[in-house]
Amino acid sequence: MSAAHDIHAGHHQGGHGHHDDGPHSTFSGYMTGFILSIILTAIPFWLVMSDIITNRTTAVMVLGGFAVVQVLVHMVCFLHMNGKIEGGWTLLSTIFTIIFVAIGIAGTLWVMFHMNTNMMPEHTMPTAPAVQSAPATHTP
């Protein structure tokens, strides 16, 4: 046997062949995520369908809040993202991606709004001239 084989064979002795670095999927973890996802979908659906929130801006903010919480639940329960995996690089790259996308969306909306405001001239629509009708004649 070679020295490399002896080192490799010694690595698996003593029960150290299983690394406990990454997350492990459990049935209870998936069920927790599933139940939270159902709740975080049902509450906004109920709020919209029963017209609980009448102000549109408030409704958008509340529904957006529920959407953000649901994304976080999916990231933690189903994608198993936390600060410990791969030295935190997965979470760090996700945060960078979220910031990058938010800047891109905000910049796009800002440019579109200002282009619409500054580039579109105000046109007044000409009105059609009033057509005068001849007086009605009464014939017996």
Side-chain angles (χ1 to χ4, degrees), residues 54-98:
T54 56
N55 187 358
R56 183 181 175 101
T57 304
T58 305
V60 168
M61 296 301 286
V62 168
L63 296 177
F66 274 104
V68 168
V69 171
Q70 191 167 39
V71 166
L72 293 175
V73 166
H74 283 235
M75 288 173 63
V76 171
C77 292
F78 299 120
L79 299 177
H80 309 292
M81 297 183 80
N82 58 29
K84 297 176 187 173
I85 299 174
E86 297 177 14
W89 285 109
T90 305
L91 183 63
L92 188 62
S93 64
T94 302
I95 291 171
F96 173 76
T97 302
I98 290 170

Short mmCIF file of all heavy atoms in Angstrom, two decimals, residues 54-98:
data_model
loop_
_atom_site.label_atom_id
_atom_site.label_comp_id
_atom_site.label_asym_id
_atom_site.label_seq_id
_atom_site.Cartn_x
_atom_site.Cartn_y
_atom_site.Cartn_z
N THR A 54 -58.20 49.54 3.37
CA THR A 54 -58.83 50.31 2.30
C THR A 54 -57.84 51.22 1.57
O THR A 54 -58.02 51.51 0.40
CB THR A 54 -59.98 51.16 2.85
OG1 THR A 54 -59.48 51.99 3.90
CG2 THR A 54 -61.08 50.26 3.40
N ASN A 55 -56.81 51.67 2.24
CA ASN A 55 -55.82 52.55 1.63
C ASN A 55 -54.87 51.72 0.76
O ASN A 55 -54.25 50.76 1.23
CB ASN A 55 -55.05 53.30 2.71
CG ASN A 55 -54.12 54.34 2.12
OD1 ASN A 55 -54.02 54.50 0.92
ND2 ASN A 55 -53.44 55.06 3.01
N ARG A 56 -54.74 52.09 -0.49
CA ARG A 56 -53.92 51.31 -1.43
C ARG A 56 -52.45 51.30 -1.03
O ARG A 56 -51.78 50.27 -1.10
CB ARG A 56 -54.10 51.87 -2.83
CG ARG A 56 -53.35 51.08 -3.88
CD ARG A 56 -53.54 51.71 -5.26
NE ARG A 56 -52.75 51.04 -6.25
CZ ARG A 56 -53.22 50.14 -7.10
NH1 ARG A 56 -54.48 49.79 -7.05
NH2 ARG A 56 -52.43 49.59 -7.98
N THR A 57 -51.93 52.44 -0.61
CA THR A 57 -50.51 52.52 -0.23
C THR A 57 -50.22 51.64 0.97
O THR A 57 -49.23 50.91 1.00
CB THR A 57 -50.13 53.98 0.09
OG1 THR A 57 -50.46 54.79 -1.05
CG2 THR A 57 -48.66 54.11 0.40
N THR A 58 -51.10 51.66 1.95
CA THR A 58 -50.93 50.81 3.14
C THR A 58 -51.00 49.34 2.75
O THR A 58 -50.22 48.53 3.23
CB THR A 58 -52.01 51.14 4.18
OG1 THR A 58 -51.96 52.53 4.48
CG2 THR A 58 -51.80 50.33 5.45
N ALA A 59 -51.93 49.01 1.86
CA ALA A 59 -52.07 47.62 1.41
C ALA A 59 -50.80 47.14 0.72
O ALA A 59 -50.33 46.02 0.96
CB ALA A 59 -53.27 47.47 0.49
N VAL A 60 -50.23 47.98 -0.14
CA VAL A 60 -49.00 47.60 -0.85
C VAL A 60 -47.86 47.40 0.15
O VAL A 60 -47.08 46.45 0.03
CB VAL A 60 -48.65 48.65 -1.92
CG1 VAL A 60 -47.25 48.44 -2.46
CG2 VAL A 60 -49.66 48.62 -3.05
N MET A 61 -47.76 48.28 1.13
CA MET A 61 -46.69 48.16 2.13
C MET A 61 -46.86 46.89 2.97
O MET A 61 -45.89 46.17 3.23
CB MET A 61 -46.66 49.40 3.03
CG MET A 61 -46.32 50.68 2.28
SD MET A 61 -44.73 50.62 1.47
CE MET A 61 -43.66 50.79 2.86
N VAL A 62 -48.08 46.60 3.40
CA VAL A 62 -48.33 45.41 4.22
C VAL A 62 -48.07 44.14 3.40
O VAL A 62 -47.40 43.21 3.87
CB VAL A 62 -49.77 45.43 4.78
CG1 VAL A 62 -50.15 44.10 5.38
CG2 VAL A 62 -49.93 46.54 5.80
N LEU A 63 -48.57 44.10 2.17
CA LEU A 63 -48.35 42.92 1.33
C LEU A 63 -46.88 42.76 0.98
O LEU A 63 -46.37 41.63 0.92
CB LEU A 63 -49.19 43.02 0.06
CG LEU A 63 -50.70 43.00 0.28
CD1 LEU A 63 -51.43 43.16 -1.04
CD2 LEU A 63 -51.15 41.76 1.00
N GLY A 64 -46.18 43.86 0.77
CA GLY A 64 -44.74 43.80 0.52
C GLY A 64 -43.99 43.27 1.74
O GLY A 64 -43.04 42.50 1.60
N GLY A 65 -44.42 43.67 2.93
CA GLY A 65 -43.82 43.16 4.16
C GLY A 65 -44.01 41.66 4.29
O GLY A 65 -43.07 40.93 4.64
N PHE A 66 -45.22 41.19 4.02
CA PHE A 66 -45.47 39.75 4.06
C PHE A 66 -44.62 39.02 3.02
O PHE A 66 -44.12 37.92 3.28
CB PHE A 66 -46.95 39.44 3.83
CG PHE A 66 -47.79 39.49 5.08
CD1 PHE A 66 -48.60 40.57 5.34
CD2 PHE A 66 -47.75 38.46 5.99
CE1 PHE A 66 -49.37 40.63 6.48
CE2 PHE A 66 -48.52 38.49 7.14
CZ PHE A 66 -49.33 39.59 7.38
N ALA A 67 -44.43 39.61 1.85
CA ALA A 67 -43.62 38.98 0.80
C ALA A 67 -42.16 38.87 1.23
O ALA A 67 -41.52 37.83 1.03
CB ALA A 67 -43.73 39.78 -0.49
N VAL A 68 -41.63 39.92 1.86
CA VAL A 68 -40.24 39.89 2.32
C VAL A 68 -40.07 38.82 3.40
O VAL A 68 -39.10 38.05 3.38
CB VAL A 68 -39.81 41.28 2.83
CG1 VAL A 68 -38.50 41.21 3.58
CG2 VAL A 68 -39.72 42.26 1.69
N VAL A 69 -41.02 38.74 4.33
CA VAL A 69 -40.93 37.73 5.39
C VAL A 69 -41.00 36.33 4.79
O VAL A 69 -40.27 35.43 5.19
CB VAL A 69 -42.04 37.94 6.45
CG1 VAL A 69 -42.10 36.78 7.42
CG2 VAL A 69 -41.81 39.25 7.19
N GLN A 70 -41.85 36.15 3.78
CA GLN A 70 -41.95 34.83 3.16
C GLN A 70 -40.67 34.46 2.42
O GLN A 70 -40.24 33.31 2.45
CB GLN A 70 -43.15 34.77 2.22
CG GLN A 70 -43.44 33.35 1.77
CD GLN A 70 -44.77 33.20 1.11
OE1 GLN A 70 -45.20 34.06 0.37
NE2 GLN A 70 -45.43 32.10 1.38
N VAL A 71 -40.04 35.42 1.77
CA VAL A 71 -38.76 35.14 1.11
C VAL A 71 -37.72 34.71 2.14
O VAL A 71 -36.96 33.75 1.92
CB VAL A 71 -38.28 36.37 0.30
CG1 VAL A 71 -36.83 36.23 -0.10
CG2 VAL A 71 -39.15 36.58 -0.91
N LEU A 72 -37.69 35.39 3.28
CA LEU A 72 -36.74 35.01 4.34
C LEU A 72 -37.04 33.61 4.88
O LEU A 72 -36.12 32.84 5.14
CB LEU A 72 -36.79 36.05 5.47
CG LEU A 72 -36.26 37.43 5.10
CD1 LEU A 72 -36.47 38.40 6.25
CD2 LEU A 72 -34.80 37.36 4.71
N VAL A 73 -38.31 33.27 5.06
CA VAL A 73 -38.67 31.92 5.51
C VAL A 73 -38.19 30.88 4.51
O VAL A 73 -37.63 29.85 4.89
CB VAL A 73 -40.20 31.82 5.74
CG1 VAL A 73 -40.64 30.37 5.87
CG2 VAL A 73 -40.61 32.60 6.97
N HIS A 74 -38.37 31.15 3.22
CA HIS A 74 -37.92 30.19 2.21
C HIS A 74 -36.41 30.05 2.21
O HIS A 74 -35.89 28.95 2.06
CB HIS A 74 -38.40 30.64 0.82
CG HIS A 74 -39.85 30.35 0.59
ND1 HIS A 74 -40.30 29.64 -0.48
CD2 HIS A 74 -40.94 30.69 1.29
CE1 HIS A 74 -41.61 29.54 -0.44
NE2 HIS A 74 -42.03 30.19 0.63
N MET A 75 -35.71 31.17 2.37
CA MET A 75 -34.25 31.12 2.39
C MET A 75 -33.72 30.32 3.58
O MET A 75 -32.76 29.58 3.45
CB MET A 75 -33.67 32.53 2.40
CG MET A 75 -33.82 33.25 1.08
SD MET A 75 -33.34 34.97 1.14
CE MET A 75 -31.63 34.85 1.54
N VAL A 76 -34.35 30.46 4.73
CA VAL A 76 -33.87 29.77 5.93
C VAL A 76 -34.34 28.33 5.97
O VAL A 76 -33.55 27.40 6.20
CB VAL A 76 -34.32 30.53 7.20
CG1 VAL A 76 -34.03 29.73 8.44
CG2 VAL A 76 -33.63 31.88 7.26
N CYS A 77 -35.64 28.10 5.73
CA CYS A 77 -36.19 26.74 5.89
C CYS A 77 -35.90 25.82 4.72
O CYS A 77 -35.70 24.62 4.92
CB CYS A 77 -37.69 26.83 6.12
SG CYS A 77 -38.13 27.59 7.69
N PHE A 78 -35.93 26.33 3.51
CA PHE A 78 -35.77 25.46 2.34
C PHE A 78 -34.39 25.53 1.72
O PHE A 78 -33.86 24.53 1.24
CB PHE A 78 -36.84 25.77 1.29
CG PHE A 78 -38.24 25.57 1.79
CD1 PHE A 78 -39.13 26.61 1.82
CD2 PHE A 78 -38.66 24.34 2.26
CE1 PHE A 78 -40.42 26.45 2.28
CE2 PHE A 78 -39.94 24.15 2.73
CZ PHE A 78 -40.82 25.20 2.75
N LEU A 79 -33.78 26.71 1.69
CA LEU A 79 -32.44 26.84 1.12
C LEU A 79 -31.34 26.71 2.17
O LEU A 79 -30.17 26.69 1.84
CB LEU A 79 -32.31 28.19 0.40
CG LEU A 79 -33.26 28.40 -0.77
CD1 LEU A 79 -33.08 29.79 -1.35
CD2 LEU A 79 -33.04 27.34 -1.83
N HIS A 80 -31.73 26.64 3.44
CA HIS A 80 -30.82 26.43 4.58
C HIS A 80 -29.70 27.47 4.61
O HIS A 80 -28.55 27.13 4.82
CB HIS A 80 -30.23 25.02 4.55
CG HIS A 80 -31.27 23.96 4.42
ND1 HIS A 80 -32.16 23.68 5.42
CD2 HIS A 80 -31.57 23.13 3.40
CE1 HIS A 80 -32.96 22.71 5.03
NE2 HIS A 80 -32.63 22.36 3.80
N MET A 81 -30.05 28.71 4.40
CA MET A 81 -29.04 29.77 4.41
C MET A 81 -28.93 30.35 5.81
O MET A 81 -29.93 30.71 6.42
CB MET A 81 -29.41 30.86 3.41
CG MET A 81 -29.43 30.36 1.99
SD MET A 81 -29.77 31.64 0.82
CE MET A 81 -28.16 32.36 0.72
N ASN A 82 -27.71 30.43 6.29
CA ASN A 82 -27.43 31.10 7.55
C ASN A 82 -26.01 31.64 7.50
O ASN A 82 -25.31 31.48 6.51
CB ASN A 82 -27.65 30.16 8.75
CG ASN A 82 -26.80 28.92 8.68
OD1 ASN A 82 -25.72 28.93 8.12
ND2 ASN A 82 -27.30 27.85 9.26
N GLY A 83 -25.57 32.27 8.56
CA GLY A 83 -24.24 32.86 8.57
C GLY A 83 -23.13 31.86 8.75
O GLY A 83 -21.95 32.21 8.62
N LYS A 84 -23.42 30.61 9.03
CA LYS A 84 -22.39 29.61 9.31
C LYS A 84 -21.96 28.83 8.08
O LYS A 84 -20.87 28.29 8.05
CB LYS A 84 -22.91 28.62 10.36
CG LYS A 84 -23.21 29.28 11.68
CD LYS A 84 -23.80 28.29 12.64
CE LYS A 84 -24.25 28.98 13.92
NZ LYS A 84 -24.97 28.09 14.80
N ILE A 85 -22.81 28.74 7.09
CA ILE A 85 -22.51 27.93 5.91
C ILE A 85 -21.40 28.59 5.11
O ILE A 85 -21.45 29.79 4.81
CB ILE A 85 -23.76 27.74 5.03
CG1 ILE A 85 -24.84 27.04 5.82
CG2 ILE A 85 -23.42 26.97 3.78
CD1 ILE A 85 -26.14 26.94 5.07
N GLU A 86 -20.38 27.82 4.74
CA GLU A 86 -19.26 28.26 3.92
C GLU A 86 -18.65 29.54 4.46
O GLU A 86 -18.31 30.45 3.71
CB GLU A 86 -19.69 28.43 2.47
CG GLU A 86 -20.15 27.14 1.82
CD GLU A 86 -20.65 27.36 0.40
OE1 GLU A 86 -20.41 28.44 -0.16
OE2 GLU A 86 -21.26 26.44 -0.14
N GLY A 87 -18.55 29.65 5.75
CA GLY A 87 -17.94 30.81 6.38
C GLY A 87 -18.74 32.08 6.19
O GLY A 87 -18.20 33.17 6.27
N GLY A 88 -20.04 31.96 5.93
CA GLY A 88 -20.88 33.13 5.75
C GLY A 88 -20.89 33.70 4.35
O GLY A 88 -21.56 34.69 4.09
N TRP A 89 -20.15 33.08 3.42
CA TRP A 89 -20.08 33.62 2.06
C TRP A 89 -21.39 33.50 1.32
O TRP A 89 -21.72 34.34 0.50
CB TRP A 89 -18.96 32.94 1.28
CG TRP A 89 -17.62 33.44 1.70
CD1 TRP A 89 -16.69 32.73 2.40
CD2 TRP A 89 -17.07 34.74 1.48
NE1 TRP A 89 -15.60 33.53 2.64
CE2 TRP A 89 -15.80 34.77 2.08
CE3 TRP A 89 -17.53 35.87 0.85
CZ2 TRP A 89 -15.00 35.89 2.06
CZ3 TRP A 89 -16.73 36.99 0.82
CH2 TRP A 89 -15.47 36.99 1.43
N THR A 90 -22.16 32.46 1.59
CA THR A 90 -23.45 32.31 0.91
C THR A 90 -24.39 33.44 1.31
O THR A 90 -25.03 34.06 0.47
CB THR A 90 -24.08 30.95 1.26
OG1 THR A 90 -23.15 29.93 0.93
CG2 THR A 90 -25.36 30.73 0.51
N LEU A 91 -24.46 33.72 2.61
CA LEU A 91 -25.31 34.81 3.08
C LEU A 91 -24.79 36.15 2.59
O LEU A 91 -25.57 37.01 2.17
CB LEU A 91 -25.38 34.79 4.61
CG LEU A 91 -26.28 35.83 5.26
CD1 LEU A 91 -27.73 35.59 4.83
CD2 LEU A 91 -26.17 35.76 6.76
N LEU A 92 -23.50 36.33 2.58
CA LEU A 92 -22.91 37.59 2.13
C LEU A 92 -23.19 37.81 0.64
O LEU A 92 -23.55 38.93 0.23
CB LEU A 92 -21.41 37.60 2.39
CG LEU A 92 -20.68 38.91 2.15
CD1 LEU A 92 -21.22 39.98 3.09
CD2 LEU A 92 -19.20 38.72 2.36
N SER A 93 -23.07 36.77 -0.16
CA SER A 93 -23.34 36.93 -1.59
C SER A 93 -24.83 37.18 -1.84
O SER A 93 -25.19 37.92 -2.75
CB SER A 93 -22.88 35.69 -2.37
OG SER A 93 -23.61 34.56 -1.98
N THR A 94 -25.69 36.61 -1.01
CA THR A 94 -27.13 36.85 -1.14
C THR A 94 -27.46 38.30 -0.79
O THR A 94 -28.24 38.95 -1.49
CB THR A 94 -27.92 35.90 -0.24
OG1 THR A 94 -27.60 34.55 -0.60
CG2 THR A 94 -29.41 36.11 -0.39
N ILE A 95 -26.86 38.82 0.27
CA ILE A 95 -27.09 40.20 0.65
C ILE A 95 -26.59 41.14 -0.45
O ILE A 95 -27.27 42.11 -0.81
CB ILE A 95 -26.42 40.51 2.00
CG1 ILE A 95 -27.14 39.77 3.12
CG2 ILE A 95 -26.39 42.01 2.28
CD1 ILE A 95 -26.42 39.83 4.46
N PHE A 96 -25.42 40.85 -1.01
CA PHE A 96 -24.91 41.65 -2.12
C PHE A 96 -25.86 41.63 -3.31
O PHE A 96 -26.12 42.67 -3.93
CB PHE A 96 -23.52 41.15 -2.55
CG PHE A 96 -23.01 41.82 -3.78
CD1 PHE A 96 -22.51 43.12 -3.73
CD2 PHE A 96 -23.03 41.17 -5.00
CE1 PHE A 96 -22.05 43.74 -4.87
CE2 PHE A 96 -22.57 41.78 -6.14
CZ PHE A 96 -22.07 43.08 -6.08
N THR A 97 -26.38 40.46 -3.63
CA THR A 97 -27.31 40.33 -4.76
C THR A 97 -28.57 41.14 -4.51
O THR A 97 -29.06 41.83 -5.41
CB THR A 97 -27.66 38.85 -5.00
OG1 THR A 97 -26.45 38.13 -5.24
CG2 THR A 97 -28.61 38.69 -6.15
N ILE A 98 -29.11 41.08 -3.29
CA ILE A 98 -30.32 41.82 -2.96
C ILE A 98 -30.07 43.32 -3.09
O ILE A 98 -30.88 44.06 -3.66
CB ILE A 98 -30.81 41.45 -1.55
CG1 ILE A 98 -31.35 40.02 -1.54
CG2 ILE A 98 -31.87 42.43 -1.05
CD1 ILE A 98 -31.62 39.48 -0.16
#
